[in-house]
Amino acid sequence: MGPRSGSAEVTAEEFGELFRSLSSWGRWGESDERGALNRLGPEQVVEAAGLVRDGTSVTLSLPLNTRAGPDNPEPAVHFMTSGATDDTGNGGLRFAMDFVGADYHHDGHTHIDALCHVAYEGFRCVSRGEPARR
C-alpha cells in the first residue's frame, strides 16, 4: 500500500515533538476520565440537540466482513454455536448463540476497541499518560 495523498513522512523525533505539543495529559486534572469531552458544556449540548430535525438514527457500523480481500486482509470469523431449535435441556427455552472472532485493528471491521490501547514511549496515549501494561 503506497502513501496516502497529502501525507508526509516524519522522523521519530518530529513525531515525539508533535505528540508532546498536542498532548492533553493532566489538562483537566489527574483523575479526569472525560478528556476532550470536558470542552463540551451545557450550551454546546443544547445547541447540538437543536440541530435534530426528525429523530432518524444513523448507524456508523459496518456489516461483519467475513471475506478476505485487498481491503480486508484479516476477515472476521463467524459461526453459530447453538441454533434456536437446539435442545439445551431447558424445556421450551432455546437460545441462538454465535461466535465472532475479529482482529479489530484492520480496516475491514468497525473498530470496537478503545484508544487507550495505543501506547507511545511506554505510556497509554489516551489514558492520562498512565504506564502501558499488558
Side-chain angles (χ1 to χ4, degrees), residues 27-116:
R27 179 175 291 175
W28 294 283
E30 291 301 314
S31 62
D32 177 63
E33 293 187 4
R34 290 175 43 89
L37 288 176
N38 285 297
R39 295 182 186 274
L40 294 178
E43 301 83 15
Q44 288 86 9
V45 173
V46 168
E47 182 181 352
L51 298 173
V52 174
R53 297 288 177 250
D54 62 16
T56 300
S57 295
V58 178
T59 182
L60 299 178
S61 68
L62 294 171
L64 190 62
N65 192 341
T66 58
R67 295 184 184 197
D71 62 339
N72 188 26
E74 300 290 336
V77 176
H78 176 243
F79 58 86
M80 299 304 296
T81 59
S82 177
T85 59
D86 293 351
D87 185 358
T88 60
N90 294 312
L93 183 62
R94 303 285 196 265
F95 297 96
M97 297 185 292
D98 48 351
F99 169 88
V100 176
D103 184 347
Y104 290 102
H105 296 278
H106 288 282
D107 295 337
H109 312 293
T110 297
H111 201 96
I112 64 169
D113 204 349
L115 290 175
C116 61

Side-chain angles (χ1 to χ4, degrees), residues 3-50:
R4 293 183 181 175
S5 175
S7 66
E9 290 190 26
V10 297
T11 66
E13 183 177 312
E14 290 169 328
F15 178 85
E17 289 175 22
L18 181 64
F19 181 85
R20 285 183 287 282
S21 73
L22 297 174
S23 175
S24 292
W25 290 348
R27 179 175 291 175
W28 294 283
E30 291 301 314
S31 62
D32 177 63
E33 293 187 4
R34 290 175 43 89
L37 288 176
N38 285 297
R39 295 182 186 274
L40 294 178
E43 301 83 15
Q44 288 86 9
V45 173
V46 168
E47 182 181 352

